[in-house]
Amino acid sequence: MRYGSEVQTMGEPANRGRRSSSGGMMMHGVNLKRRFFVSLVLAVPILLLSSPMGLALPITLSFPGSDWLVAALATVLFVYGGWPFLRGAADEVRNRKPAMMTLVALGITTAYVYSMYAFAMGSVAHDGGMHMDFFWELATLIVIMLLGHWIEMRAVMGAGDALKEMAELLPAQAHVKQADGSFADVPLDEVQVGQTVMVEAGEKVPADGEVTDGSSSVNEALVTGEARAVEAHEGDTVFGGSQNGDGTLYVRVTGTGQSGYLAQVMQLVSQAQQEKSRAEVLSDKVARWLFYAAVSVGLVAFVAWLAVTGSVSDALTRMVTVFVIACPHALGLAIPLVAARSTSLGARNGLLVRRRRALEVAPRVNVVMMDKTGTLTEGDFRVAEVRAVGKRSAPAGDASDAPNVPGAPADDRALALIAGLEQSSSHPLAASIVAAAQQRGVQPAAVRDVQAVAGVGVKGVLENGSHALIANARYLDEQRIPYDRSAFDQLAGRGLTVSYLVIDGEVRGVVAQGDQIKPTAREAVRQLKARGIAPVMLTGDNEAAARAVAHTLGIDEFRAGLLPQDKVQLVQQRRDAGDVVMMVGDGINDAPALARADVGVAIGAGTDVAIDSADVVLVKSDPEDIVRLLDLGTNTTRKIKQNLWWGAGYNIVAIPLAAGVLAPVGILLSPAVGAVLMSLSTVIVAVNAMTLKNK
């Protein structure tokens, strides 16, 4: 897996060098770390040489000309440390969505401009005089906000580039047929619709197309998410990015560039990610209201004090005090500390939280849509059943053509023959047969002259000279070889892939292989239903296989035969109906739905594309971790709300008092008391964040 190193300052993902549509500001992790430490170095002398809102501190130092030094350092700090916030505020204002960046920009700009005004007037007084400076507040706000974002950046992993991962699935070149009938390697971006390309054994299919000649088995797992190999013959469709098997295919290109399957999936992912990036986090909503409140109360205070006292200085001081007190010191740490704590707890339990917003949405989830293959099942084929079939002239189960295993049970003798034929093949189905023989302690039979039969299976010669073949039901039908159709229907109805052992033209054995359900999947479904959450299974597999898995797991609703765009539509339909949807998947075909869902969850054993499209990664690929994620989200959201109330509660009380609402009865919040309350609220949210636990 690969993860990027960039995050939005409020924990949401972003691409390098771009700004989100929500106005949030983005920082490169290394730059953010460097900016924080440089700002900290600049802030230390400012804190030592000035005081918070006129409050006299015993450690405050001063000397002739120290005010000039403070003003110079504050200017550098405002420009260097404050620049990301000013830039982020500009984005938010441009999009008409003032939030945390705008609130921070209001505080630091007011503190800097007013302090420089006071300094220029030569009337700076540290004894509660008319023109006090706010350099101390400027330094602490910038440093604390940078620290908060850095903490969150380290806690929340950056977003990888899902689209880049997807593009890398296609080969760089294709073997294109020339006018003289030969084939030449051509860069993929020069391949055109209508051309014929040759796909040799083991190569990736370069583009969508229709098979014109040849036959092979094609592994579309990376593209469709299904482990089942697909037989490709003349007239069949293949997808770009899928893996060719043992045969050579000649494919007439039907889709390249924006018209190809992968390109369409990439477009779906891109659209969904852009939509999700516009979603707000809770802290931004709180910050927006605080911004509106601070500006409104500050302006009203200025007008009221000017009308009552007639003093512009008094009115200006009240307004500036309101703006500065509204600075979200506590809010700057309220969310990042909770994010750091929750992501740390999640990581210890196999939950990699990549986008904080997912934890805020998780408690409201009422529908969990899950891909079948790789999510609820293991995602690889295993032998489910092996049966020996007797000769028409001999008792059923005779299978005496396995000279290497005399006296063994008939089914094991059949497995020995099948494993002997398959042991030299790299096909996934072959590997599972050999593995099954090893687990049962069955020695594969000796077979010579083994050859792959494209689109059919594999053939060879046994020790006694008999000709053996592993074939599918389609081949038996074409060759009119008798077999038990009712048994085939019963096995295929369970979603199993059925192959036959044919010896000298007669069926002598049958092997059924299928994907195995994960041990914890049923319990995960039970717990979801117990919480009132509807589990829905989505799969590109056939109806019979989907129904069998859904029935076993106790899932009432499922959809089969789905393409990526179908999954996206189903997710969007539930969202449009008012549901809050979590999507869990592991394949490229799941990526658009993961990006579109309110919460996208990728299985850790899945593809990089799915992981990069998701908000959370289940590292252990355990379905029960879905429930643990919901618990973590509930506990995290509770702490976030508590901290927001502590942080915003300070502002709710302090802003009106700073404006002088109770001045007529002799109560007026002094800047010094405001500084103490500000520090106290910051300490409270920090302690509260560290008490987060996840049982």
Side-chain angles (χ1 to χ4, degrees):
M1 305 175 199
R2 296 196 298 275
Y3 300 100
S5 59
E6 293 190 289
V7 292
Q8 212 169 343
T9 52
M10 296 311 300
E12 300 302 315
N15 293 327
R16 184 183 303 273
R18 302 195 179 199
R19 298 173 186 172
S20 74
S21 55
S22 63
M25 171 269 295
M26 296 169 281
M27 298 181 185
H28 189 282
V30 176
N31 292 340
L32 181 57
K33 177 181 179 181
R34 180 172 62 245
R35 194 178 295 270
F36 164 71
F37 279 109
V38 172
S39 298
L40 180 62
V41 171
L42 294 170
V44 170
I46 295 177
L47 299 180
L48 294 176
L49 297 174
S50 60
S51 58
M53 294 186 176
L55 182 65
L57 297 178
I59 61 172
T60 301
L61 305 177
S62 63
F63 52 84
S66 62
D67 53 343
W68 284 88
L69 178 59
V70 169
L73 292 174
T75 300
V76 177
L77 179 60
F78 175 72
V79 174
Y80 179 75
W83 170 248
F85 304 106
L86 299 175
R87 184 182 62 186
D91 287 346
E92 291 177 349
V93 172
R94 186 181 303 113
N95 288 282
R96 299 180 181 180
K97 285 189 176 182
M100 185 66 76
M101 296 300 102
T102 310
L103 187 58
V104 175
L106 173 66
I108 64 175
T109 301
T110 301
Y112 175 73
V113 172
Y114 186 81
S115 298
M116 293 302 293
Y117 162 74
F119 169 73
M121 293 291 292
S123 304
V124 179
H126 296 287
D127 56 359
M130 189 68 68
H131 294 295
M132 70 181 67
D133 69 75
F134 294 103
F135 288 128
W136 197 93
E137 288 70 35
L138 171 69
T140 55
L141 180 58
I142 290 178
V143 170
I144 286 177
M145 294 305 295
L146 287 174
L147 174 62
H149 293 326
W150 182 37
I151 290 174
E152 189 170 13
M153 181 274 296
R154 294 186 58 178
V156 182
M157 301 299 292
D161 193 340
L163 302 182
K164 180 181 178 182
E165 299 284 356
M166 207 172 296
E168 290 177 351
L169 291 174
L170 295 173
Q173 294 181 323
H175 311 306
V176 179
K177 188 175 183 179
Q178 305 300 300
D180 60 359
S182 63
F183 287 85
D185 290 343
V186 175
L188 187 60
D189 56 3
E190 296 181 11
V191 176
Q192 300 178 2
V193 173
Q195 291 183 322
T196 298
V197 297
M198 178 177 61
V199 187
E200 296 180 333
E203 292 185 338
K204 287 185 177 180
V205 178
D208 295 3
E210 179 182 333
V211 177
T212 59
D213 192 13
S215 59
S216 180
S217 60
V218 179
N219 185 349
E220 298 180 347
L222 282 176
V223 179
T224 65
E226 298 307 320
R228 183 190 299 269
V230 178
E231 300 299 328
H233 305 275
E234 183 177 348
D236 291 336
T237 299
V238 292
F239 295 121
S242 55
Q243 188 82 36
N244 188 23
D246 297 328
T248 298
L249 296 175
Y250 296 89
V251 179
R252 181 175 58 83
V253 176
T254 60
T256 62
Q258 295 302 314
S259 64
Y261 176 89
L262 275 180
Q264 295 177 31
V265 175
M266 291 167 67
Q267 184 178 8
L268 290 172
V269 172
S270 178
Q271 291 173 348
Q273 287 181 335
Q274 289 175 12
E275 177 185 301
K276 185 174 287 186
S277 71
R278 291 192 289 268
E280 289 183 295
V281 291
L282 185 59
S283 58
D284 280 343
K285 295 179 181 178
V286 173
R288 173 181 297 119
W289 287 109
L290 285 178
F291 170 76
Y292 287 139
V295 171
S296 301
V297 174
L299 293 176
V300 171
F302 177 83
V303 174
W305 279 84
L306 181 62
V308 173
T309 66
S311 171
V312 175
S313 295
D314 286 346
L316 185 61
T317 299
R318 283 296 104 196
M319 182 181 71
V320 170
T321 302
V322 169
F323 288 168
V324 174
I325 281 181
C327 295
H329 286 72
L331 288 180
L333 289 177
I335 306 304
L337 288 177
V338 174
R341 178 67 175 169
S342 63
T343 51
S344 175
L345 289 173
R348 296 176 194 171
N349 292 277
L351 308 175
L352 181 57
V353 181
R354 306 178 65 246
R355 296 175 177 90
R356 173 183 35 96
R357 180 182 171 277
L359 295 178
E360 295 183 16
V361 178
R364 297 187 282 113
V365 168
N366 64 337
V367 175
V368 176
M369 293 184 162
M370 297 170 283
D371 175 53
K372 177 181 73 68
T373 307
T375 301
L376 296 172
T377 66
E378 298 291 353
D380 59 351
F381 276 89
R382 298 182 184 179
V383 173
E385 194 167 335
V386 179
R387 301 177 186 173
V389 178
K391 296 179 180 178
R392 279 173 289 181
S393 59
D398 179 35
S400 59
D401 295 89
N404 282 359
V405 282
D411 291 347
D412 283 354
R413 292 200 295 273
L415 178 59
L417 287 172
I418 297 172
L421 285 163
E422 296 281 22
Q423 63 182 344
S424 61
S425 174
S426 60
H427 194 284
L429 295 178
S432 69
I433 290 173
V434 174
Q438 292 176 345
Q439 291 172 359
R440 297 190 187 187
V442 173
Q443 179 68 31
V447 183
R448 68 179 187 273
D449 299 332
V450 177
Q451 299 178 25
V453 182
V456 178
V458 62
K459 66 180 181 179
V461 180
L462 305 180
E463 280 188 327
N464 63 1
S466 297
H467 291 271
L469 169 70
I470 304 296
N472 50 35
R474 175 177 175 176
Y475 175 83
L476 299 184
D477 290 335
E478 291 174 349
Q479 300 299 318
R480 298 183 179 181
I481 298 176
Y483 65 98
D484 189 341
R485 294 181 182 274
S486 62
F488 172 81
D489 292 338
Q490 185 266 334
L491 293 171
R494 290 163 51 190
L496 302 176
T497 296
V498 184
S499 301
Y500 292 91
L501 169 64
V502 180
I503 300 178
D504 292 335
E506 289 190 54
V507 173
R508 301 300 308 283
V510 59
V511 57
Q513 298 162 271
D515 202 359
Q516 304 298 304
I517 294 175
K518 291 184 177 179
T520 58
R522 186 175 181 85
E523 176 61 20
V525 171
R526 187 195 67 78
Q527 292 190 45
L528 289 176
K529 295 173 74 172
R531 295 166 182 245
I533 298 174
V536 181
M537 188 179 76
L538 309 180
T539 179
D541 211 343
N542 62 72
E543 181 84 11
R547 187 179 302 278
V549 173
H551 177 74
T552 302
L553 294 177
I555 296 177
D556 301 320
E557 183 179 353
F558 69 91
R559 297 289 187 275
L562 301 177
L563 296 173
Q565 56 267 34
D566 299 326
K567 293 185 179 182
V568 172
Q569 290 175 359
L570 289 171
V571 169
Q572 191 61 49
Q573 286 173 6
R574 298 302 288 258
R575 294 184 64 191
D576 291 342
D579 292 321
V580 180
V581 180
M582 174 184 290
M583 174 68 195
V584 187
D586 73 323
I588 292 170
N589 66 318
D590 300 317
L594 291 173
R596 177 71 66 179
D598 295 288
V599 181
V601 180
I603 295 297
T607 66
D608 283 353
V609 174
I611 290 170
D612 286 343
S613 301
D615 305 307
V616 181
V617 179
L618 306 184
V619 178
K620 296 184 290 186
S621 303
D622 184 354
E624 268 194 301
D625 281 344
I626 299 172
V627 180
R628 298 186 182 99
L629 172 61
L630 294 173
D631 289 338
L632 180 62
T634 299
N635 296 338
T636 299
T637 302
R638 184 185 302 117
K639 281 298 177 184
I640 287 176
K641 291 181 178 179
Q642 290 173 359
N643 270 6
L644 286 176
W645 272 113
W646 278 112
Y650 154 77
N651 295 80
I652 292 172
V653 174
I655 288 177
L657 293 179
V661 172
L662 298 181
V665 296
I667 299 177
L668 183 64
L669 181 66
S670 69
V673 174
V676 173
L677 292 177
M678 183 187 299
S679 300
L680 181 61
S681 66
T682 303
V683 172
I684 290 175
V685 300
V687 172
N688 188 50
M690 300 312 295
T691 62
L692 172 66
K693 296 180 180 180
N694 191 46
K695 297 182 180 179

Short mmCIF file of all heavy atoms in Angstrom, two decimals, residues 496-524:
data_model
loop_
_atom_site.label_atom_id
_atom_site.label_comp_id
_atom_site.label_asym_id
_atom_site.label_seq_id
_atom_site.Cartn_x
_atom_site.Cartn_y
_atom_site.Cartn_z
N LEU A 496 -20.44 -22.25 -7.09
CA LEU A 496 -19.15 -22.92 -7.25
C LEU A 496 -18.78 -23.04 -8.73
O LEU A 496 -19.65 -23.13 -9.60
CB LEU A 496 -19.19 -24.31 -6.62
CG LEU A 496 -19.54 -24.37 -5.13
CD1 LEU A 496 -19.64 -25.81 -4.66
CD2 LEU A 496 -18.52 -23.60 -4.30
N THR A 497 -17.49 -23.06 -8.99
CA THR A 497 -16.98 -23.32 -10.34
C THR A 497 -16.72 -24.83 -10.45
O THR A 497 -16.00 -25.40 -9.65
CB THR A 497 -15.67 -22.55 -10.59
OG1 THR A 497 -15.94 -21.16 -10.54
CG2 THR A 497 -15.09 -22.90 -11.95
N VAL A 498 -17.31 -25.45 -11.46
CA VAL A 498 -17.27 -26.91 -11.58
C VAL A 498 -16.36 -27.32 -12.75
O VAL A 498 -16.51 -26.81 -13.86
CB VAL A 498 -18.68 -27.49 -11.79
CG1 VAL A 498 -18.64 -29.02 -11.83
CG2 VAL A 498 -19.63 -26.99 -10.70
N SER A 499 -15.42 -28.23 -12.47
CA SER A 499 -14.54 -28.78 -13.51
C SER A 499 -14.64 -30.30 -13.47
O SER A 499 -14.94 -30.89 -12.42
CB SER A 499 -13.09 -28.34 -13.29
OG SER A 499 -12.98 -26.93 -13.31
N TYR A 500 -14.35 -30.93 -14.62
CA TYR A 500 -14.50 -32.38 -14.73
C TYR A 500 -13.18 -33.04 -15.11
O TYR A 500 -12.40 -32.49 -15.90
CB TYR A 500 -15.56 -32.73 -15.76
CG TYR A 500 -16.96 -32.34 -15.33
CD1 TYR A 500 -17.48 -31.10 -15.65
CD2 TYR A 500 -17.73 -33.22 -14.58
CE1 TYR A 500 -18.76 -30.73 -15.24
CE2 TYR A 500 -19.01 -32.87 -14.17
CZ TYR A 500 -19.52 -31.62 -14.50
OH TYR A 500 -20.78 -31.28 -14.09
N LEU A 501 -12.94 -34.20 -14.53
CA LEU A 501 -11.83 -35.06 -14.92
C LEU A 501 -12.34 -36.04 -15.97
O LEU A 501 -13.23 -36.85 -15.70
CB LEU A 501 -11.29 -35.82 -13.71
CG LEU A 501 -10.29 -36.94 -14.00
CD1 LEU A 501 -9.01 -36.38 -14.63
CD2 LEU A 501 -9.97 -37.73 -12.72
N VAL A 502 -11.81 -35.93 -17.18
CA VAL A 502 -12.23 -36.79 -18.29
C VAL A 502 -11.07 -37.71 -18.65
O VAL A 502 -9.96 -37.25 -18.94
CB VAL A 502 -12.63 -35.95 -19.52
CG1 VAL A 502 -13.08 -36.86 -20.66
CG2 VAL A 502 -13.74 -34.97 -19.15
N ILE A 503 -11.28 -39.04 -18.59
CA ILE A 503 -10.25 -40.03 -18.93
C ILE A 503 -10.75 -40.88 -20.10
O ILE A 503 -11.80 -41.52 -20.00
CB ILE A 503 -9.91 -40.92 -17.72
CG1 ILE A 503 -9.39 -40.08 -16.56
CG2 ILE A 503 -8.90 -41.99 -18.11
CD1 ILE A 503 -9.07 -40.87 -15.31
N ASP A 504 -9.99 -40.82 -21.17
CA ASP A 504 -10.33 -41.58 -22.39
C ASP A 504 -11.79 -41.34 -22.80
O ASP A 504 -12.53 -42.27 -23.13
CB ASP A 504 -10.07 -43.07 -22.18
CG ASP A 504 -8.59 -43.40 -22.06
OD1 ASP A 504 -7.78 -42.60 -22.60
OD2 ASP A 504 -8.24 -44.39 -21.41
N GLY A 505 -12.19 -40.07 -22.74
CA GLY A 505 -13.52 -39.69 -23.22
C GLY A 505 -14.66 -39.90 -22.25
O GLY A 505 -15.82 -39.66 -22.61
N GLU A 506 -14.38 -40.33 -21.02
CA GLU A 506 -15.43 -40.53 -20.02
C GLU A 506 -15.16 -39.66 -18.79
O GLU A 506 -14.02 -39.51 -18.36
CB GLU A 506 -15.51 -41.99 -19.59
CG GLU A 506 -16.06 -42.93 -20.65
CD GLU A 506 -16.34 -44.29 -20.07
OE1 GLU A 506 -17.07 -44.37 -19.06
OE2 GLU A 506 -15.82 -45.28 -20.61
N VAL A 507 -16.21 -39.11 -18.21
CA VAL A 507 -16.09 -38.32 -16.98
C VAL A 507 -15.81 -39.27 -15.82
O VAL A 507 -16.58 -40.19 -15.56
CB VAL A 507 -17.39 -37.52 -16.71
CG1 VAL A 507 -17.32 -36.84 -15.34
CG2 VAL A 507 -17.63 -36.49 -17.80
N ARG A 508 -14.68 -39.05 -15.13
CA ARG A 508 -14.28 -39.93 -14.03
C ARG A 508 -14.20 -39.20 -12.69
O ARG A 508 -13.96 -39.82 -11.67
CB ARG A 508 -12.92 -40.56 -14.35
CG ARG A 508 -12.91 -41.37 -15.64
CD ARG A 508 -13.92 -42.52 -15.59
NE ARG A 508 -13.73 -43.32 -14.42
CZ ARG A 508 -12.75 -44.23 -14.27
NH1 ARG A 508 -11.91 -44.45 -15.27
NH2 ARG A 508 -12.66 -44.93 -13.18
N GLY A 509 -14.36 -37.88 -12.72
CA GLY A 509 -14.31 -37.12 -11.47
C GLY A 509 -14.82 -35.71 -11.67
O GLY A 509 -14.87 -35.20 -12.79
N VAL A 510 -15.22 -35.09 -10.59
CA VAL A 510 -15.69 -33.70 -10.63
C VAL A 510 -15.13 -32.96 -9.42
O VAL A 510 -15.06 -33.52 -8.32
CB VAL A 510 -17.23 -33.64 -10.65
CG1 VAL A 510 -17.83 -34.31 -9.42
CG2 VAL A 510 -17.71 -32.19 -10.72
N VAL A 511 -14.67 -31.73 -9.64
CA VAL A 511 -14.16 -30.89 -8.56
C VAL A 511 -14.89 -29.56 -8.61
O VAL A 511 -15.05 -28.96 -9.68
CB VAL A 511 -12.63 -30.69 -8.67
CG1 VAL A 511 -12.24 -30.08 -10.01
CG2 VAL A 511 -12.11 -29.81 -7.52
N ALA A 512 -15.39 -29.14 -7.46
CA ALA A 512 -16.11 -27.86 -7.35
C ALA A 512 -15.31 -26.92 -6.45
O ALA A 512 -14.90 -27.31 -5.34
CB ALA A 512 -17.51 -28.09 -6.78
N GLN A 513 -15.07 -25.73 -6.94
CA GLN A 513 -14.28 -24.75 -6.21
C GLN A 513 -15.07 -23.46 -6.02
O GLN A 513 -15.85 -23.07 -6.90
CB GLN A 513 -12.98 -24.44 -6.97
CG GLN A 513 -12.07 -25.65 -7.13
CD GLN A 513 -11.06 -25.42 -8.23
OE1 GLN A 513 -11.31 -25.72 -9.39
NE2 GLN A 513 -9.90 -24.90 -7.86
N GLY A 514 -14.86 -22.84 -4.91
CA GLY A 514 -15.58 -21.60 -4.65
C GLY A 514 -14.88 -20.75 -3.62
O GLY A 514 -13.94 -21.18 -2.94
N ASP A 515 -15.37 -19.52 -3.52
CA ASP A 515 -14.84 -18.57 -2.55
C ASP A 515 -15.42 -18.90 -1.17
O ASP A 515 -16.62 -19.17 -1.04
CB ASP A 515 -15.26 -17.17 -2.98
CG ASP A 515 -14.37 -16.10 -2.38
OD1 ASP A 515 -13.45 -16.46 -1.63
OD2 ASP A 515 -14.61 -14.91 -2.65
N GLN A 516 -14.59 -18.86 -0.14
CA GLN A 516 -15.02 -19.23 1.20
C GLN A 516 -15.42 -17.99 2.00
O GLN A 516 -14.77 -16.95 1.94
CB GLN A 516 -13.89 -19.96 1.93
CG GLN A 516 -13.38 -21.19 1.20
CD GLN A 516 -14.45 -22.23 1.02
OE1 GLN A 516 -15.07 -22.69 1.97
NE2 GLN A 516 -14.69 -22.63 -0.23
N ILE A 517 -16.50 -18.10 2.76
CA ILE A 517 -16.96 -17.00 3.60
C ILE A 517 -16.02 -16.81 4.77
O ILE A 517 -15.56 -17.77 5.39
CB ILE A 517 -18.39 -17.29 4.10
CG1 ILE A 517 -19.36 -17.30 2.91
CG2 ILE A 517 -18.83 -16.26 5.13
CD1 ILE A 517 -20.77 -17.68 3.27
N LYS A 518 -15.72 -15.56 5.08
CA LYS A 518 -14.81 -15.27 6.20
C LYS A 518 -15.47 -15.69 7.52
O LYS A 518 -16.68 -15.52 7.70
CB LYS A 518 -14.46 -13.79 6.23
CG LYS A 518 -13.57 -13.36 5.07
CD LYS A 518 -13.17 -11.90 5.18
CE LYS A 518 -12.22 -11.52 4.05
NZ LYS A 518 -11.80 -10.10 4.11
N PRO A 519 -14.68 -16.19 8.46
CA PRO A 519 -15.23 -16.71 9.71
C PRO A 519 -16.05 -15.70 10.51
O PRO A 519 -17.01 -16.06 11.19
CB PRO A 519 -13.98 -17.15 10.48
CG PRO A 519 -12.94 -17.38 9.43
CD PRO A 519 -13.23 -16.39 8.36
N THR A 520 -15.67 -14.42 10.46
CA THR A 520 -16.33 -13.40 11.28
C THR A 520 -17.45 -12.66 10.54
O THR A 520 -18.07 -11.77 11.12
CB THR A 520 -15.31 -12.37 11.78
OG1 THR A 520 -14.67 -11.75 10.65
CG2 THR A 520 -14.26 -13.03 12.66
N ALA A 521 -17.69 -13.03 9.29
CA ALA A 521 -18.66 -12.28 8.49
C ALA A 521 -20.07 -12.40 9.05
O ALA A 521 -20.81 -11.41 9.13
CB ALA A 521 -18.61 -12.75 7.04
N ARG A 522 -20.46 -13.59 9.42
CA ARG A 522 -21.83 -13.79 9.92
C ARG A 522 -22.06 -13.00 11.21
O ARG A 522 -23.12 -12.38 11.39
CB ARG A 522 -22.10 -15.27 10.14
CG ARG A 522 -23.54 -15.57 10.51
CD ARG A 522 -23.80 -17.07 10.61
NE ARG A 522 -25.19 -17.34 10.93
CZ ARG A 522 -26.17 -17.41 10.02
NH1 ARG A 522 -25.89 -17.24 8.74
NH2 ARG A 522 -27.42 -17.65 10.38
N GLU A 523 -21.10 -13.01 12.11
CA GLU A 523 -21.24 -12.28 13.36
C GLU A 523 -21.30 -10.78 13.10
O GLU A 523 -22.04 -10.05 13.78
CB GLU A 523 -20.08 -12.61 14.31
CG GLU A 523 -20.08 -11.83 15.62
CD GLU A 523 -21.32 -12.07 16.47
OE1 GLU A 523 -22.01 -13.09 16.25
OE2 GLU A 523 -21.59 -11.25 17.36
N ALA A 524 -20.52 -10.30 12.14
CA ALA A 524 -20.55 -8.87 11.80
C ALA A 524 -21.93 -8.47 11.31
O ALA A 524 -22.47 -7.42 11.70
CB ALA A 524 -19.50 -8.57 10.74
#
